[in-house]
Amino acid sequence: MYLLSILLQVSIPVESLNQLLDNLYNEMLPLCADLINVGRALGAWGPGVHCQQSVA
């Protein structure tokens, strides 16, 4: 019985932490969309530059 009460006390903050992180993710993703697209463009551009330097 004592172990069950400890587990219940621990599970409540973990659930609220999960909710907090989920909300933070949902709020930050639209703000980071431009940076994500820049990273994707640089990632796609990098191998092309490397191949051109290797051939030249």
Side-chain angles (χ1 to χ4, degrees), residues 6-54:
I6 291 174
L7 290 175
L8 287 174
Q9 290 174 359
V10 171
S11 68
I12 293 170
V14 169
E15 183 178 324
S16 62
L17 178 62
N18 191 21
Q19 176 106 21
L20 175 75
L21 292 174
D22 196 32
N23 290 340
L24 181 65
Y25 176 81
N26 289 332
E27 289 178 14
M28 293 301 294
L29 193 62
L31 298 175
C32 298
D34 291 337
L35 290 175
I36 291 170
N37 289 333
V38 169
R40 287 178 180 161
L42 289 173
W45 182 63
V49 172
H50 178 70
C51 289
Q52 289 176 353
Q53 289 176 352
S54 298

